[in-house]
Amino acid sequence: QITLKESGPTLVKPTQTLTLTCTFSGFSLTTSELGVGWVRQAPGKALEWLALIHWNDDKRYNPSLKTRLTITQDTSKNQVVLTMADMDPVDTATYYCVHSLRELQLRSGFFYYNMGVWGKGTTVTVSS
Amino acid sequence: SYELTQPPSVSVSPGQTARITCSGDTLPKQYVCWYQQKPGQAPVVVMDKDTERPSGIPERFSGSSSGRTVTLTISGVQPEDEAEYYCQSSDSGGRYPVFGGGTKLSVL
Protein backbone atom coordinates (compact mmCIF):
# COMPACT_ATOMS: atom_id res chain seq x y z
CA GLN A 1 0.00 0.00 0.00
CA ILE A 2 1.37 3.38 -1.02
CA THR A 3 1.18 6.13 1.58
CA LEU A 4 2.56 9.64 1.73
CA LYS A 5 2.63 11.99 4.67
CA GLU A 6 3.49 15.66 4.68
CA SER A 7 5.20 17.40 7.55
CA GLY A 8 6.40 20.90 8.19
CA PRO A 9 5.49 24.16 9.89
CA THR A 10 1.90 25.28 10.02
CA LEU A 11 2.83 28.94 10.27
CA VAL A 12 5.58 30.87 8.54
CA LYS A 13 6.33 34.56 8.40
CA PRO A 14 6.48 36.57 5.19
CA THR A 15 9.87 36.40 3.45
CA GLN A 16 10.79 33.20 5.28
CA THR A 17 11.61 29.94 3.52
CA LEU A 18 9.16 27.07 3.85
CA THR A 19 10.51 23.55 4.14
CA LEU A 20 8.12 20.65 3.71
CA THR A 21 8.98 16.98 3.99
CA CYS A 22 7.11 14.12 2.37
CA THR A 23 7.73 10.72 3.93
CA PHE A 24 6.47 7.88 1.81
CA SER A 25 6.15 4.12 1.93
CA GLY A 26 5.02 1.28 -0.28
CA PHE A 27 7.29 2.10 -3.19
CA SER A 28 10.83 3.01 -4.05
CA LEU A 29 11.77 6.21 -5.80
CA THR A 30 14.41 4.24 -7.65
CA THR A 31 11.68 2.58 -9.74
CA SER A 32 11.62 3.69 -13.34
CA GLU A 33 9.21 6.54 -14.20
CA LEU A 34 8.02 7.02 -10.65
CA GLY A 35 8.07 10.44 -9.09
CA VAL A 36 7.04 12.30 -5.98
CA GLY A 37 5.74 15.80 -6.18
CA TRP A 38 3.86 18.62 -4.56
CA VAL A 39 0.52 20.21 -5.30
CA ARG A 40 -1.04 23.06 -3.34
CA GLN A 41 -4.50 24.48 -2.96
CA ALA A 42 -5.19 27.92 -1.59
CA PRO A 43 -8.48 28.26 0.33
CA GLY A 44 -11.37 28.06 -2.10
CA LYS A 45 -9.04 27.86 -5.08
CA ALA A 46 -8.01 25.29 -7.66
CA LEU A 47 -5.22 22.78 -7.44
CA GLU A 48 -1.82 24.11 -8.44
CA TRP A 49 1.03 21.77 -9.31
CA LEU A 50 4.36 22.90 -7.85
CA ALA A 51 7.17 20.42 -8.46
CA LEU A 52 8.11 16.82 -9.21
CA ILE A 53 11.24 14.78 -8.70
CA HIS A 54 11.67 11.51 -10.54
CA TRP A 55 13.44 8.22 -10.08
CA ASN A 56 16.44 9.45 -12.09
CA ASP A 57 16.59 12.80 -10.21
CA ASP A 58 14.88 14.56 -13.12
CA LYS A 59 13.25 17.61 -11.54
CA ARG A 60 10.35 19.61 -12.91
CA TYR A 61 9.07 22.90 -11.56
CA ASN A 62 6.05 25.07 -12.15
CA PRO A 63 7.51 27.81 -14.35
CA SER A 64 5.68 30.55 -12.48
CA LEU A 65 7.32 29.52 -9.19
CA LYS A 66 10.55 28.01 -10.42
CA THR A 67 12.84 30.64 -8.95
CA ARG A 68 11.46 30.00 -5.46
CA LEU A 69 11.26 26.20 -5.44
CA THR A 70 13.76 23.45 -4.77
CA ILE A 71 12.87 19.77 -4.62
CA THR A 72 15.25 17.08 -3.38
CA GLN A 73 15.09 13.44 -2.45
CA ASP A 74 16.67 11.22 0.18
CA THR A 75 16.11 7.70 -1.06
CA SER A 76 17.66 6.19 2.07
CA LYS A 77 14.95 7.80 4.18
CA ASN A 78 12.14 7.56 1.61
CA GLN A 79 11.70 11.30 1.81
CA VAL A 80 11.24 14.18 -0.60
CA VAL A 81 11.79 17.73 0.55
CA LEU A 82 10.35 20.88 -0.99
CA THR A 83 11.63 24.32 -0.11
CA MET A 84 9.83 27.48 -1.16
CA ALA A 85 11.64 30.74 -0.63
CA ASP A 86 10.32 34.21 0.06
CA MET A 87 6.93 33.16 1.37
CA ASP A 88 4.01 35.55 1.03
CA PRO A 89 0.48 35.52 2.46
CA VAL A 90 -0.78 34.44 -0.98
CA ASP A 91 1.15 31.20 -0.46
CA THR A 92 -1.23 30.26 2.34
CA ALA A 93 -2.57 26.89 1.25
CA THR A 94 -2.86 23.20 1.85
CA TYR A 95 0.21 21.50 0.44
CA TYR A 96 -0.16 17.93 -0.80
CA CYS A 97 2.53 15.37 -1.50
CA VAL A 98 1.72 13.12 -4.45
CA HIS A 99 2.93 9.85 -5.96
CA SER A 100 3.27 10.28 -9.70
CA LEU A 101 3.64 7.78 -12.50
CA ARG A 102 5.07 9.24 -15.67
CA GLU A 103 4.51 7.69 -19.07
CA LEU A 104 5.83 8.74 -22.46
CA GLN A 105 2.97 9.16 -24.91
CA LEU A 106 4.13 7.75 -28.21
CA ARG A 107 1.55 9.71 -30.21
CA SER A 108 2.94 13.03 -29.06
CA GLY A 109 6.32 12.40 -27.51
CA PHE A 110 4.99 14.14 -24.42
CA PHE A 111 4.98 12.82 -20.89
CA TYR A 112 1.68 11.92 -19.25
CA TYR A 113 1.50 12.24 -15.48
CA ASN A 114 -0.87 10.28 -13.26
CA MET A 115 -0.80 11.58 -9.71
CA GLY A 116 -2.60 8.57 -8.37
CA VAL A 117 -1.91 8.70 -4.65
CA TRP A 118 -2.03 11.77 -2.45
CA GLY A 119 -1.12 12.52 1.10
CA LYS A 120 -3.73 14.08 3.36
CA GLY A 121 -2.11 17.48 3.00
CA THR A 122 -0.67 19.96 5.42
CA THR A 123 -1.99 23.46 5.89
CA VAL A 124 0.51 26.30 5.84
CA THR A 125 -0.43 29.82 6.84
CA VAL A 126 1.80 32.74 5.96
CA SER A 127 1.34 35.59 8.39
CA SER A 128 3.39 37.94 10.47
CA SER B 1 1.33 29.48 -19.78
CA TYR B 2 -0.71 26.53 -21.02
CA GLU B 3 -4.31 26.35 -19.84
CA LEU B 4 -6.97 23.73 -19.49
CA THR B 5 -10.49 25.15 -19.49
CA GLN B 6 -13.33 23.73 -17.42
CA PRO B 7 -16.81 25.13 -16.74
CA PRO B 8 -16.94 26.52 -13.18
CA SER B 9 -20.06 24.61 -12.32
CA VAL B 10 -22.44 21.90 -13.46
CA SER B 11 -25.74 21.13 -11.80
CA VAL B 12 -27.86 18.02 -12.19
CA SER B 13 -30.62 16.21 -10.36
CA PRO B 14 -30.02 12.76 -8.88
CA GLY B 15 -30.27 10.07 -11.52
CA GLN B 16 -29.47 12.41 -14.39
CA THR B 17 -26.30 12.48 -16.46
CA ALA B 18 -23.56 15.00 -15.73
CA ARG B 19 -20.98 15.93 -18.32
CA ILE B 20 -17.90 17.88 -17.32
CA THR B 21 -15.64 19.12 -20.08
CA CYS B 22 -11.98 20.00 -20.25
CA SER B 23 -10.59 21.85 -23.26
CA GLY B 24 -7.05 22.51 -24.36
CA ASP B 25 -5.11 23.03 -27.56
CA THR B 26 -2.91 19.95 -27.17
CA LEU B 27 -5.57 17.53 -25.94
CA PRO B 28 -5.89 15.90 -29.37
CA LYS B 29 -2.47 14.38 -28.67
CA GLN B 30 -2.33 14.29 -24.88
CA TYR B 31 -4.15 12.25 -22.30
CA VAL B 32 -6.18 13.73 -19.48
CA CYS B 33 -6.53 12.49 -15.91
CA TRP B 34 -9.61 13.41 -13.87
CA TYR B 35 -9.66 13.94 -10.12
CA GLN B 36 -12.60 14.14 -7.73
CA GLN B 37 -12.18 16.22 -4.60
CA LYS B 38 -14.71 16.35 -1.80
CA PRO B 39 -14.57 19.07 0.86
CA GLY B 40 -11.73 18.61 3.29
CA GLN B 41 -10.30 15.64 1.40
CA ALA B 42 -7.43 15.04 -0.95
CA PRO B 43 -8.22 14.49 -4.63
CA VAL B 44 -8.84 10.99 -5.96
CA VAL B 45 -8.33 9.81 -9.55
CA VAL B 46 -11.65 8.87 -11.16
CA MET B 47 -10.48 8.60 -14.78
CA ASP B 48 -7.06 7.89 -16.23
CA LYS B 49 -5.81 8.47 -19.80
CA ASP B 50 -9.10 9.96 -20.96
CA THR B 51 -11.16 6.76 -20.72
CA GLU B 52 -9.61 4.32 -18.25
CA ARG B 53 -11.55 3.95 -15.02
CA PRO B 54 -9.37 2.94 -12.05
CA SER B 55 -10.42 0.00 -9.95
CA GLY B 56 -12.88 0.95 -7.26
CA ILE B 57 -14.43 3.78 -9.26
CA PRO B 58 -18.12 3.15 -9.99
CA GLU B 59 -19.10 2.19 -13.53
CA ARG B 60 -21.27 5.27 -13.81
CA PHE B 61 -18.07 7.24 -14.38
CA SER B 62 -16.86 7.23 -17.97
CA GLY B 63 -14.61 9.34 -20.15
CA SER B 64 -14.39 10.36 -23.78
CA SER B 65 -12.28 12.50 -26.03
CA SER B 66 -13.03 14.47 -29.16
CA GLY B 67 -10.57 16.90 -30.62
CA ARG B 68 -9.68 19.63 -28.15
CA THR B 69 -12.23 18.49 -25.58
CA VAL B 70 -12.17 15.64 -23.11
CA THR B 71 -15.37 14.84 -21.22
CA LEU B 72 -16.01 13.14 -17.90
CA THR B 73 -19.50 11.69 -17.85
CA ILE B 74 -21.31 10.56 -14.73
CA SER B 75 -24.42 8.58 -15.60
CA GLY B 76 -27.13 8.23 -12.99
CA VAL B 77 -25.56 10.81 -10.71
CA GLN B 78 -25.71 10.02 -7.01
CA PRO B 79 -25.74 12.55 -4.17
CA GLU B 80 -22.27 11.36 -3.13
CA ASP B 81 -20.90 12.47 -6.52
CA GLU B 82 -21.25 16.09 -5.48
CA ALA B 83 -17.68 17.33 -5.48
CA GLU B 84 -15.12 19.42 -7.31
CA TYR B 85 -13.68 17.79 -10.41
CA TYR B 86 -10.31 18.69 -11.90
CA CYS B 87 -8.81 17.67 -15.20
CA GLN B 88 -5.04 17.41 -15.53
CA SER B 89 -2.80 17.00 -18.51
CA SER B 90 0.65 18.18 -19.50
CA ASP B 91 1.78 21.56 -20.68
CA SER B 92 2.07 22.34 -24.38
CA GLY B 93 5.58 20.91 -24.40
CA GLY B 94 4.72 17.85 -22.39
CA ARG B 95 7.23 18.75 -19.74
CA TYR B 96 5.14 19.10 -16.58
CA PRO B 97 1.58 18.61 -15.26
CA VAL B 98 -1.12 21.24 -15.56
CA PHE B 99 -4.50 21.32 -13.80
CA GLY B 100 -7.72 22.77 -15.06
CA GLY B 101 -9.55 25.33 -12.97
CA GLY B 102 -12.00 22.81 -11.56
CA THR B 103 -15.73 22.22 -11.93
CA LYS B 104 -18.11 22.18 -9.01
CA LEU B 105 -20.69 19.46 -9.54
CA SER B 106 -23.86 20.16 -7.63
CA VAL B 107 -26.47 17.43 -7.21
CA LEU B 108 -29.72 19.24 -6.61
Side-chain angles (χ1 to χ4, degrees), chain A residues 2-3 9 17-18 26-29 32 37-38 41 55-57 69 76-77 80 82 86 91 93 103 106:
Chain A
I2 293 172
T3 64
T17 294
L18 171 68
F27 68 98
S28 171
L29 201 39
S32 180
W38 293 89
Q41 186 172 38
W55 62 287
N56 56 356
D57 211 39
L69 297 174
S76 67
K77 294 182 179 179
V80 168
L82 179 76
D86 194 23
D91 297 312
E103 180 179 331
L106 296 179

Side-chain angles (χ1 to χ4, degrees), chain B residues 20-62:
Chain B
I20 301 172
T21 59
C22 176
S23 299
D25 288 340
T26 62
L27 295 191
K29 54 182 179 180
Q30 293 209 79
Y31 289 127
V32 164
C33 190
W34 287 96
Y35 301 82
Q36 176 194 67
Q37 186 182 32
K38 296 182 178 179
Q41 298 182 19
V44 172
V45 175
V46 293
M47 198 62 58
D48 185 20
K49 294 182 187 174
D50 293 352
T51 61
E52 297 182 9
R53 189 177 59 248
S55 62
I57 301 302
E59 290 186 7
R60 62 180 180 271
F61 286 83
S62 63

Side-chain angles (χ1 to χ4, degrees), chain A residues 2 4 27 29 32-39 47 49 51-54 97-105 110-119, chain B residues 30-36 43-55 57 86-91 94-99:
Chain A
I2 293 172
L4 307 105
F27 68 98
L29 201 39
S32 180
E33 301 308 343
L34 286 189
V36 172
W38 293 89
V39 176
L47 301 172
W49 171 76
L52 272 170
I53 187 166
H54 294 97
C97 178
V98 299
H99 170 279
S100 174
L101 180 60
R102 183 175 73 174
E103 180 179 331
L104 185 62
Q105 302 173 84
F110 292 173
F111 281 116
Y112 169 74
Y113 298 89
N114 175 312
M115 289 176 273
V117 186
W118 295 55
Chain B
Q30 293 209 79
Y31 289 127
V32 164
C33 190
W34 287 96
Y35 301 82
Q36 176 194 67
V44 172
V45 175
V46 293
M47 198 62 58
D48 185 20
K49 294 182 187 174
D50 293 352
T51 61
E52 297 182 9
R53 189 177 59 248
S55 62
I57 301 302
Y86 294 92
C87 64
Q88 173 251 310
S89 188
S90 302
D91 76 299
R95 295 157 296 188
Y96 53 83
V98 173
F99 285 100

